[in-house]
Amino acid sequence: DDQVLPHVNWGDLFFDLFYVAAAYNLGAMLISAMDQYNWYRGVLYFIAMFGPLYNIWQNDVIYSSRYTLLDYLHRLLSMARFFCVAGAVVAIKPIQFLTDTGSAETMVFTTSLLLESIMQIGLNLELYYYGEGDRAAIQNHTKLKLIGHFIPATLSYLVASIFAVVAYISAHHSDPHRSLGEVAPSGCGRRMLGGGGGGQEACHIEWSIADVPLTICLVYYILNLLHDVFRKYTSTGEKNLKERFVPNNID
């Protein structure tokens, strides 16, 4: 069969622009955490938010380099995935918002990741049952991706979303007069407006329920990296690679 090479389109360029905003927001978040109390949390949050967003971009690039989609239904699905990425990017705010259970940023971030991951499972199930080409390679490769990546990711983001939603609802039930987006007062490591050196409040470094959702995202991302490294070094000696993997269609 003739080879059909993929090419960059306007949708791909538009998708990449979200990552420009993500880089800006991640930088702002990291700067907001650069004090003696929050710097370690800021670094871990940076990895926990950058990692899943990078995985989404990588999955999109790899999928586009292997398969060609031209129908309007898949284009609408791509737009829905764009909205999920946009929701996750918008939710990247300064550390004071992300560590506050009553603020919706963490809930929006994890829920956006969950929805995008569910769509990825749908795309791969479609490939498994209806993908055209080398059926054996497509099914074997898709099965590996589902079991090794997309199903664990979806379960991780589901648990993270549940923690974030429960924490958000609990915070507003305990303080029903609180307005949306209002940050709970906390003097830990912050100066009062107009205060001098004596205005710094001391506190212990603590891990709280507000950290659980992004901690789950962080743990999954690290385990996913280890899985990729393991697969890379164990698959080189496997036989019948053509029946197990779909090659990237890049000239």
Side-chain angles (χ1 to χ4, degrees), residues 23-42:
Y24 179 86
N25 288 350
L26 283 168
M29 184 277 295
L30 196 59
I31 291 174
S32 72
M34 289 296 102
D35 58 57
Q36 60 179 320
Y37 299 102
N38 283 315
W39 66 268
Y40 72 98
R41 181 178 277 112

Side-chain angles (χ1 to χ4, degrees), residues 105-202:
E105 279 73 19
T106 301
M107 179 179 65
V108 172
F109 182 82
T110 54
T111 304
S112 298
L113 295 181
L114 173 62
L115 293 175
E116 198 281 334
S117 186
I118 291 173
M119 294 181 199
Q120 285 284 3
I121 288 181
L123 282 173
N124 281 268
L125 286 176
E126 179 197 28
L127 270 178
Y128 186 85
Y129 290 106
Y130 304 109
E132 297 180 0
D134 188 338
R135 295 292 300 148
I138 291 175
Q139 289 186 336
N140 290 330
H141 186 260
T142 303
K143 188 175 180 179
L144 287 174
K145 296 292 287 184
L146 283 169
I147 296 175
H149 290 277
F150 297 119
I151 292 177
T154 302
L155 293 176
S156 299
Y157 299 150
L158 175 62
V159 175
S161 298
I162 291 173
F163 271 102
V165 170
V166 170
Y168 178 79
I169 294 174
S170 299
H172 282 268
H173 278 181
S174 61
D175 186 7
H177 301 292
R178 184 174 180 177
S179 61
L180 183 64
E182 180 183 356
V183 181
S186 174
C188 179
R190 301 178 179 86
R191 296 180 184 275
M192 299 299 291
L193 184 61
Q200 186 85 10
E201 296 188 22

Side-chain angles (χ1 to χ4, degrees), residues 202-243:
C203 67
H204 298 289
I205 296 177
E206 297 179 345
W207 210 252
S208 69
I209 189 66
D211 300 305
V212 173
L214 290 181
T215 301
I216 294 173
C217 294
L218 173 66
V219 171
Y220 165 72
Y221 178 64
I222 293 174
L223 292 177
N224 181 62
L225 283 178
L226 295 176
H227 174 270
D228 286 345
V229 172
F230 176 78
R231 286 296 305 165
K232 178 180 179 181
Y233 286 99
T234 57
S235 63
T236 53
E238 292 183 0
K239 298 180 180 179
N240 302 323
L241 285 179
K242 291 184 178 180
E243 297 180 2

